[in-house]
Amino acid sequence: MANSASPEDNIVSISNLSFSRGPRKIFDAVSLEIQRGKVTAIMGPSGTGKTTLLKLIGGQLAPDRGQIHVDGQNVHRLKTRELYELRKRMGMLFQSGALLTDMSVYDNVAFPMREHTHLPESMIRTLVLMKLHAVGLRGARHLMPNELSGGMARRVALARAIALDPLMIMYDEPFTGQDPISKGALVHLIKSLNTTLGLTSIIVSHDVQETAAIADYIYVLSGGKIIGQGTPQELQQSDSEWVQQFMHGDADGPVHFHYSAPDYLDDLLASK
Amino acid sequence: MFQFLQNLGKTTRSSFAKLGRASFFLSHTLTGISDVVPRPNLLIKQVYSVGVLSFLIITISGLFVGMVLGLQGFNILSDFGAEESLGVMVAASLVRELGPVVSALLFAGRAGSALTAEIGLMKATEQLSGMEMMAVDPIKRIISPRFLAGFLSMPLLAALFSAIGIMGGHLVGVGMLGVDDGAFWAQMQASIDFQEDIINGVIKSVVFGFVVSWIALFEGYDAIPTSEGVSRATTRTVVNSAFSVLALDFILTALMFGDI
Amino acid sequence: MQHSKTQDTLVGFFVASGIAALFYMALQVSNLGSYTGDDSYTVIAHFQNSGGLKVKSPVSVAGVRIGRVSAIRLDKESHESIVEMRIESQYNNLPSDSGVSIYTAGLLGEQYVSLDPGSSDEYLKDKSTIDITSSAIVLEEMIGKFMLNKAEGK
């Protein structure tokens, strides 16, 4: 069990987190731990605030209540400069890739190095080519972001996310909208980067198959609460109906196919 | 009635909130300028997209505005037998008013809307967010160089507009309508004062450059990150810039030339 | 980010032409090009009425500008207008019995001081006073007189 691990083994620990957007409660007293060196997935249907969770961990949003510790530091107690120092140790892969559109692939990967280090250009070149080679796009270095396919853009963004050799990478819906080959490539990359670079990976996703294939531990979120957790195998055999429906993608179950509505027959027969 | 008051209150509250965000944004942008100075490459790139790309529209518009002033001024002044004052009329209206104001309006339409759209799209495509997560302050890295470039380019553009406009007025007045060349320049030089007219015109354009760049960048940064939100923000940039420039022009003119 | 040389060149061209435009306006359009600075001396004239004359209005001899009006104030005893003019020091041979008049350039143009050189061997010096003056023609007075004459002559 991840929860029983000692605190030093947890790179991220979230306790009692509450966050609401307007009247809508997105998180209601959520607590979870993310173990160092493992691939942890946070799953749940669209609109459960999975991306919001990543933004909270990255310090881009502040919670209403509760605490988030990353690498032993309370994210929302840090001064701006300390937060920026911490972020240098976090990589984040956005859903859209978030590549800077006015720069080539090469310059995009070099960007964090040029901003944060004083390395000579020859050294940066070596590092950029290494990072691009790791994602298999060394040959695409002269392309501009608008010339890349969605899958390629995500891989470039991944190369950029590992540019400063971070401790952990957060993946925001890495598989959404990808063709099967790109999906396969990404699954392979996430797993291999995690083992070869000794990273910690946090994947936010609703693609059950791909995520279950690489995750060491999965949290399932719904309605602002954690409704299931465990290794992929444990979740497959979960006795929660909801988790079962989610893991197998059934159309009807605890989550109804129909949006709540008055009785069908009454509705049809009702006069305007 | 109650509904009306409620709406009014709501609008007031949201305008104040926006003003507050805009002020915070401005102070953040200004502190970021110190980070731009050691990196002139960032600035040069932005002076290119803000200044150089507005060069053509500003010079061509300046030429035509000057030519029209020459034509219309001649028609009116010749009724009073004062064609020799054409130079004064053309130069005074350009240097004091039309140069700073029209170039600021053109600048808002050409460079301001482009800035808003660029920043808005960067926000919509998570580029700004992505930068934050790479521990790079997007305001300092993206906004400040653009602000500085707009602020520096505006007086140059206004000066170009006025200078070319005066040449256009000369072309029409002296070249085509037969006003005496010497009288054109001599009367102009006798009436246009360096401090009162030229310097005040430059001050106006500096203020306009500041305000238009601020509005354009803030609207982009504050845009709702969807394609509709960005297009609305672009419209707001042009409308708000035009309002601000014209209103500020009145205030500045009253302070500089009037006795109010 | 690679910075292209064309971009640098164009930015350089833009900045240079903007600054050139500012210089053009300062020197060609405004009075800065003919700024007198300290190389000038002051002469004083008393007028009954200086009309629409203003500080910085030109002072000319035979149509050539030799200086500017530097101050206009009222003499509290004689109720005359005292006009101070700064004359460029290169024009240091103006006879001391010269006269000054206030004229209007064109019908609606600016008013200026015209200096009519006399024949004396002595020249105007700093702080000298010109005695022979003729006041500004005030358009309303002229029209009034003209109307009166018409009415009387009928």
Side-chain angles (χ1 to χ4, degrees), chain A residues 107-153:
Chain A
D107 288 323
N108 259 290
V109 179
F111 180 81
M113 303 180 198
R114 285 179 178 153
E115 291 291 323
H116 294 307
T117 70
H118 297 285
L119 295 175
E121 205 53 33
S122 58
M123 180 94 87
I124 288 182
R125 188 186 126 89
T126 315
L127 287 171
V128 170
L129 293 186
M130 279 166 62
K131 307 291 177 192
L132 279 173
H133 189 76
V135 298
L137 290 176
R138 194 162 42 86
R141 71 186 105 148
H142 298 301
L143 297 181
M144 294 301 282
N146 58 12
E147 297 169 302
L148 301 174
S149 72
M152 282 163 86

Side-chain angles (χ1 to χ4, degrees), chain A residues 95 150 154 172-179 183 186 204-207:
Chain A
Q95 208 166 343
R154 250 170 245 197
D172 187 5
E173 302 281 7
F175 311 117
T176 310
Q178 300 292 318
D179 62 73
K183 266 189 201 175
L186 280 163
V204 145
S205 178
H206 51 231
D207 291 281

Side-chain angles (χ1 to χ4, degrees), chain A residues 206 208 236 242-253:
Chain A
H206 51 231
V208 176
Q236 294 287 358
W242 199 100
V243 173
Q244 282 297 327
Q245 188 193 355
F246 183 77
M247 294 301 281
H248 298 117
D250 301 329
D252 214 345

Side-chain angles (χ1 to χ4, degrees), chain A residues 7 21 27 39 60 64 102 105 110-111 113 136 138 146 177 180 191 208 212 239 252-253:
Chain A
R21 198 161 256 164
F27 297 115
V39 179
Q60 288 187 304
D64 299 338
D102 59 343
V105 165
F111 180 81
M113 303 180 198
R138 194 162 42 86
N146 58 12
K191 188 73 193 167
V208 176
D239 39 11
D252 214 345

Side-chain angles (χ1 to χ4, degrees), chain C residues 10-58:
Chain C
L10 284 169
V11 169
F13 168 74
F14 165 68
V15 172
S17 56
I19 291 172
L22 280 171
F23 268 97
Y24 172 80
M25 299 225 289
L27 299 177
Q28 176 77 7
V29 176
S30 81
N31 54 1
L32 193 71
S34 50
Y35 186 62
T36 47
D38 288 335
D39 273 0
S40 60
Y41 63 99
T42 306
V43 296
I44 298 158
H46 295 248
F47 289 95
Q48 278 204 315
N49 184 345
S50 58
L53 201 66
K54 284 184 290 235
V55 172
K56 288 190 177 136
S57 293

Side-chain angles (χ1 to χ4, degrees), chain A residues 55 58 60 84 87-88 90 92 94-96 98-103 111-112 115-116 160 170 172, chain B residues 39 42 45-46 118 122 124-138 141-142 146:
Chain A
K55 289 197 167 176
Q60 288 187 304
Y84 272 47
R87 280 184 187 158
K88 288 183 197 169
M90 302 184 196
M92 178 146 171
F94 283 85
Q95 208 166 343
S96 59
L99 294 176
L100 302 169
T101 40
D102 59 343
M103 293 181 191
F111 180 81
E115 291 291 323
H116 294 307
R160 188 179 65 175
M170 299 187 273
D172 187 5
Chain B
R39 299 178 69 178
L42 290 181
K45 199 171 170 190
Q46 295 314 319
E118 188 191 12
M122 287 181 95
T125 53
E126 295 178 308
Q127 291 183 54
L128 297 182
S129 222
M131 238 180 228
E132 254 177 46
M133 285 307 296
M134 285 187 280
V136 176
D137 185 340
R141 178 63 174 70
I142 297 291
R146 285 165 173 74

Side-chain angles (χ1 to χ4, degrees), chain B residues 41 48 185 189 191-194, chain C residues 3 7 24 26 28 30-31:
Chain B
N41 283 336
Y48 177 80
W185 292 116
Q189 287 170 3
S191 306
I192 305 291
D193 186 67
F194 178 70
Chain C
H3 33 96
Q7 206 172 54
Y24 172 80
Q28 176 77 7
S30 81
N31 54 1

